[in-house]
C-alpha cells in the first residue's frame, strides 16, 4: 500500500514560510499585495477569488478584489490591468478565469506585466521557463515539484513520465523538472499504447484532465505517482489516476483532493513575493 504525498501538510509548511517572508518585507517598508480581477459572476471563480482572499488574510498579505460585470468591454478590463501594472503598491495581478464570451483571454492575460503575472502565463514568462531564466511560473507544475521535494523524493536521475501537454501544467512541467536533472518523457491523448510509456516511469505525473485514466496495470511496482488532474464526476471530485487501484502498486501517491491542488494557492502567494524581487524589491 502506497504512502500518501500529503499536500495539506506541505501547504501548511509553505504558508508558514511565506508568512515569515511577508513579515520580513514589511520590516523593509514593503507591504506585499495581490490584486485579483473578477469579470462576471461565474460561481467557481467567485469561490476561488474568495479563497485566495482568505489565504492572504491568514498569512498577512494585502488583497484587493476588483469585480466587473460580465458585460464589461474588453477595453475597460485592459485599462484596469494597466492601472494595476503602474501601481507600485500592487506586486501581483491575477485574472480569474473563465472570462465572459467576447473577451479575448490571450489579450487580457498578456496585458499583465510579466513581473506581476503570478499565474505565470505571460509569453515572456513562458519564454523564461524554456531558457532557464528567472520568471514567474504557473503554480500547478511548481506544486508537483514542491510536493515531491518536500516529501523527500530525489528527482535527479529519475525517469519522469508526464501524461498531458497542456499549457498550464504539462508543457511548463517538462522544463521545470529538467532543471532538477530528471530524464523526461511526455505523453498525451494521441500517444499509442500509453501504458508502455507509463510503466517505465520512476515518477509518473498525470495532468491530462481525464478521470481515472491511469490504471493499475499502467504503473510499475514502486513508482511515485503524482496526480495533477481534477475532474468532476457523478461520484464527486477525482483525479486522472485510479487512486484506489494504483495505490496497491505505487510507493508514493498523491490523492485528489488533498494533493497537488492543496499547494497551488500558497505558490501563487509565493509568486507575489518573487514578483517583489523581480520588480526591484524595497525602493
Amino acid at each position: 500500500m502506497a504512502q500518501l504525498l500529503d499536500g495539506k501538510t506541505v501547504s501548511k509548511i509553505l504558508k508558514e514560510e511565506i508568512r515569515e517572508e511577508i513579515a520580513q518585507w514589511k520590516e523593509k517598508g514593503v507591504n506585499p499585495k495581490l490584486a485579483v480581477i473578477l469579470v462576471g459572476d461565474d460561481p467557481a471563480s467567485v469561490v476561488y477569488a474568495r479563497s485566495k482572499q482568505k489565504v492572504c488574510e491568514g498569512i498577512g498579505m494585502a488583497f484587493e478584489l476588483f469585480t466587473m460585470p460580465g458585460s464589461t468591454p474588453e477595453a475597460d478590463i485592459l485599462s484596469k490591468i494597466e492601472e494595476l501594472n503602474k501601481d507600485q503598491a500592487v506586486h501581483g495581478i491575477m485574472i480569474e478565469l473563465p472570462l465572459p464570451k467576447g473577451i479575448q483571454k490571450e489579450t487580457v492575460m498578456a496585458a499583465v506585466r510579466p513581473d506581476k503575472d503570478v499565474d505565470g502565463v505571460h509569453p515572456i514568462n513562458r519564454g523564461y521557463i524554456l531558457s532557464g531564466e528567472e520568471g514567474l511560473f504557473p503554480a500547478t507544475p511548481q506544486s508537483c515539484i514542491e510536493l515531491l521535494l518536500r516529501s523527500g523524493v530525489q528527482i535527479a536521475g529519475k525517469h519522469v513520465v508526464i501524461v498531458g501537454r497542456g499549457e498550464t501544467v504539462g508543457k511548463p512541467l517538462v522544463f521545470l523538472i529538467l532543471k532538477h536533472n530528471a530524464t523526461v518523457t511526455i505523453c498525451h491523448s494521441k500517444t499509442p499504447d500509453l501504458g508502455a510509456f507509463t510503466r517505465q516511469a520512476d515518477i509518473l505525473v498525470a495532468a491530462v484532465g481525464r478521470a481515472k485514466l491511469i490504471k493499475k496495470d499502467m504503473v510499475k511496482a514502486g513508482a511515485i505517482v503524482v496526480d495533477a488532474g481534477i475532474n468532476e464526476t457523478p461520484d464527486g471530485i477525482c483525479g486522472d489516476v485510479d487512486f484506489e487501484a494504483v495505490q496497491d502498486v505505487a510507493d508514493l501517491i498523491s490523492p485528489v483532493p488533498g494533493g497537488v491542488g492543496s499547494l497551488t494557492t500558497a505558490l501563487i502567494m509565493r509568486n507575489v513575493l518573487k514578483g517583489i524581487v523581480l520588480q526591484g524589491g524595497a525602493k
Side-chain angles (χ1 to χ4, degrees):
M1 185 71 71
Q3 291 185 317
L4 289 184
L5 291 165
D6 187 352
K8 291 181 180 179
T9 298
V10 174
S11 178
K12 287 179 183 177
I13 295 168
L14 267 173
K15 287 174 184 174
E16 189 55 43
E17 291 174 359
I18 294 165
R19 184 184 291 111
E20 291 174 4
E21 191 173 340
I22 289 169
Q24 291 169 7
W25 277 114
K26 287 181 177 179
E27 288 176 3
K28 298 175 184 176
V30 178
N31 187 22
K33 180 176 180 179
L34 172 65
V36 174
I37 296 175
L38 174 62
V39 186
D41 55 1
D42 178 75
S45 296
V46 173
V47 170
Y48 292 146
R50 293 302 178 192
S51 70
K52 293 180 186 78
Q53 182 175 9
K54 186 177 179 181
V55 171
C56 282
E57 290 170 352
I59 61 177
M61 180 177 288
F63 177 93
E64 191 166 5
L65 177 63
F66 297 90
T67 57
M68 298 180 169
S71 58
T72 303
E74 185 176 294
D76 290 359
I77 301 170
L78 296 175
S79 178
K80 173 56 69 176
I81 292 171
E82 187 55 28
E83 178 187 320
L84 296 173
N85 282 340
K86 293 175 179 177
D87 187 347
Q88 292 190 3
V90 172
H91 306 102
I93 302 170
M94 194 169 182
I95 315 296
E96 286 291 352
L97 300 176
L99 290 165
K101 289 181 180 178
I103 304 295
Q104 294 297 315
K105 170 187 163 185
E106 291 76 13
T107 302
V108 170
M109 304 303 275
V112 177
R113 254 176 64 171
D115 56 5
K116 293 190 178 186
D117 165 39
V118 293
D119 266 329
V121 296
H122 193 284
I124 287 177
N125 282 321
R126 289 179 176 174
Y128 285 153
I129 290 177
L130 270 68
S131 66
E133 295 180 63
E134 283 302 320
L136 299 179
F137 306 138
T140 302
Q142 287 192 73
S143 179
C144 295
I145 293 169
E146 288 284 341
L147 191 55
L148 290 167
L149 294 177
R150 290 178 184 262
S151 301
V153 175
Q154 181 180 321
I155 298 174
K158 296 292 197 304
H159 183 191
V160 179
V161 176
I162 301 167
V163 183
R165 56 179 171 180
E167 298 294 335
T168 57
V169 186
K171 284 182 181 177
L173 183 56
V174 172
F175 297 97
L176 291 177
I177 215 155
L178 278 172
K179 292 177 74 172
H180 292 273
N181 299 312
T183 298
V184 182
T185 298
I186 186 161
C187 304
H188 44 79
S189 59
K190 299 291 190 291
T191 300
D193 193 5
L194 181 60
F197 293 92
T198 58
R199 280 188 292 272
Q200 298 176 41
D202 301 315
I203 300 172
L204 175 60
V205 182
V208 74
R210 289 176 59 184
K212 299 185 179 182
L213 172 69
I214 305 299
K215 305 297 185 185
K216 180 177 179 179
D217 64 356
M218 298 169 70
V219 180
K220 79 174 181 181
I224 297 163
V225 179
V226 178
D227 193 344
I230 183 163
N231 307 280
E232 290 188 25
T233 73
D235 299 323
I237 299 293
C238 73
D240 290 352
V241 176
D242 187 353
F243 180 84
E244 297 298 331
V246 171
Q247 67 176 340
D248 288 340
V249 293
D251 187 24
L252 292 167
I253 188 170
S254 70
V256 176
V260 170
S262 301
L263 280 67
T264 52
T265 301
L267 289 167
I268 288 168
M269 307 312 165
R270 195 171 73 178
N271 268 353
V272 175
L273 301 182
K274 190 176 183 182
I276 296 173
V277 176
L278 295 173
Q279 292 156 36
K283 301 295 184 184

